[in-house]
Amino acid sequence: MARGLGKGIGALFPTETLENIQPNEDQVEKIDLQKLVVNPFQPRRTFDEEAIAELAQSIMEHGIIQPIVVRKKGKRYEIVVGERRFRAAKFANLKEIPAIVRSLTEDQMMELAILENLQREDLTPIEEAEAYQSLIEKLNFTQEELAKRLGKSRPYITNHLRLLTLPEEVRALVDKGELSMGHGRTLLGLKNKRRIPDVAEKVIKHGLNVRQLEALIKQLNEEVSRETEKPVNKDIFVQATETQLREYFGTNVQIKKSKNKGKIEIEFYSEDDLERILEILQLEE
């Protein structure tokens, strides 16, 4: 499924900023590959070696059609856009590569690296989620604003970001493609979060599809509910108040009282649901 940006880099950067990074033929320089270093803000962690080899073959036959974009730093150059071309050029044993040298801040460098990669279709769901998270943190966007800027739906952004709440070892399985994004999202529905890694291993071991995993999660959650169910005698006032709060918040609400204190528990089932409740409580910024 394509995950490229709906509106391109122009959706996030004004025209005058874009003019600073657009290639111009008379500004192309030949730079020694030995002087190039990779972008420290590169969101992509894995590169398909076979695809790099194919690109290298194309470069040997046709040359590098589009220059890479770099930033000078000391005696070296940091790659802003075009790391795949750089890797393929090394694979093809080239000594130099055509490049556009631009004066960019670290913020601009990070933003361009993320956006350039988001326009491709081969980021893993975890890499994509981390790219969205970086843009939210760096540009101070809300999920809603980011979704509009990128031409995505709010749930699309939210569902990717939720993957980052998975345990680290399970995120790695999604990152490597051993679990799909659908598997990852479904695992987050498990009530006993400590069991997520074990259930993830079971998915891989038995080759469960998402529908089968959903059934397993439902069964496990029902077991948790039975284990934690305890008969509670609540007075009429508390029961009536719970009903009133459930209707007000549109979700399950429980009032728990002890001898000297009490607490109100409001359930939510997703980040969107939590934000909706916070808005009702007027705690959302």
Side-chain angles (χ1 to χ4, degrees), residues 247-261:
E247 292 175 355
Y248 182 71
F249 287 107
T251 189
N252 186 39
V253 178
Q254 290 190 49
I255 298 175
K256 297 183 178 181
K257 294 175 62 180
S258 61
K259 186 175 181 180
N260 299 315
K261 62 180 180 179

Side-chain angles (χ1 to χ4, degrees), residues 90-106:
K90 287 182 68 176
F91 192 96
N93 293 317
L94 297 187
K95 301 299 181 185
E96 298 177 320
I97 191 170
I100 311 294
V101 181
R102 288 289 177 264
S103 297
L104 299 170
T105 65
E106 291 211 343

